[in-house]
């Protein structure tokens, strides 16, 4: 497996990754009167992020296996108060490649790339079982709160080498995250 920067011609493949990764989560909603066949919101989120000022092309990564994209992760510009930080998400792996280390490889690559770029911190809303293994902790421990109070239980941050304890306050994602 190779982890590299996403290229422009990877857009359809990354959409397919997020479609495969997230469609099962929304299948029950479709069965109970939702929009059957509609793309998971993560597909549109990535498309919206690509045209947002928070998009950082160097931090949109793909996992390649046998010349095919099998995973995707992006980090975008976010803020804690006046401090620029990063937000992680979405991260997706093709359903038939999940549990094989693709997501972990993407996470390690993203953390290393962000640290090398002197970014101070990464925030995310996600699984309390998956992300702590990469050093993510409840954001409140560092004095950081999500701007949506309902997220507090699953909102986590990972400090990097350039972290400064003055970075505290309310976390704000790039605007497309609020259009989900």
């Amino acid at each position: 497996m190779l982890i590299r920067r996403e290229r422009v011609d990877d857009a359809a493949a990354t959409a397919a990754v997020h479609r495969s990764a997230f469609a099962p989560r929304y299948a029950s909603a479709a069965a109970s009167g939702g929009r059957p066949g509609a793309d998971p919101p993560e597909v549109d989120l990535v498309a919206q992020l690509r045209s947002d000022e928070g998009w950082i092309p160097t931090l949109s990564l793909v996992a390649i296996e046998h010349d095919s994209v099998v995973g995707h992760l992006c980090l975008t510009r976010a803020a804690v108060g006046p401090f620029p930080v990063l937000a992680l998400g979405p991260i997706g792996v093709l359903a038939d490649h999940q549990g094989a280390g693709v997501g972990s490889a993407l996470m390690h690559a993203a953390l290393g790339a962000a640290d090398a770029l002197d970014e101070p911190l990464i925030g995310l809303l996600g699984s309390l079982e998956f992300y702590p293994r990469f050093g993510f902790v409840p954001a409140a421990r560092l004095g950081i709160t999500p701007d949506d109070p309902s997220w507090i239980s699953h909102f986590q941050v990972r400090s990097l080498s350039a972290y400064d304890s003055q970075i505290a306050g309310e976390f704000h994602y790039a605007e497309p995250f609020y259009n989900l």
Side-chain angles (χ1 to χ4, degrees), residues 83-180:
F83 302 100
V85 299
L86 296 174
L88 188 147
I91 176 175
V93 176
L94 289 175
D96 62 354
H97 283 72
Q98 292 176 6
V102 176
S104 291
L106 282 165
M107 285 296 299
H108 288 297
L111 291 169
D115 200 48
L117 292 171
D118 288 327
E119 294 291 343
L121 180 130
I122 299 171
L124 64 82
L125 183 63
S127 168
L128 299 174
E129 289 78 44
F130 183 72
Y131 295 105
R133 73 181 81 163
F134 303 103
F136 284 86
V137 299
R141 287 190 194 168
L142 298 182
I144 298 170
T145 58
D147 56 3
D148 182 332
S150 69
W151 297 345
I152 199 134
S153 66
H154 286 76
F155 190 71
Q156 303 164 64
V157 296
R158 166 67 150 77
S159 60
L160 301 170
S161 297
Y163 173 72
D164 182 321
S165 61
Q166 291 182 1
I167 299 173
E170 193 171 80
F171 186 97
H172 188 79
Y173 280 97
E175 288 306 312
F177 281 92
Y178 301 97
N179 299 331
L180 290 177

Side-chain angles (χ1 to χ4, degrees), residues 25-102:
R25 178 184 297 173
Y26 300 101
S28 60
S32 62
R35 298 179 357 209
D39 272 342
E42 290 81 0
V43 174
D44 189 46
L45 173 60
V46 173
Q48 286 183 40
L49 285 168
R50 284 190 183 106
S51 61
D52 187 79
E53 64 184 25
W55 183 251
I56 306 171
T58 56
L59 295 176
S60 180
L61 306 174
V62 292
I64 306 293
E65 188 175 273
H66 305 295
D67 297 323
S68 296
V69 174
V70 298
H72 175 253
L73 170 153
C74 59
L75 295 168
T76 53
R77 181 60 59 209
V80 173
F83 302 100
V85 299
L86 296 174
L88 188 147
I91 176 175
V93 176
L94 289 175
D96 62 354
H97 283 72
Q98 292 176 6
V102 176

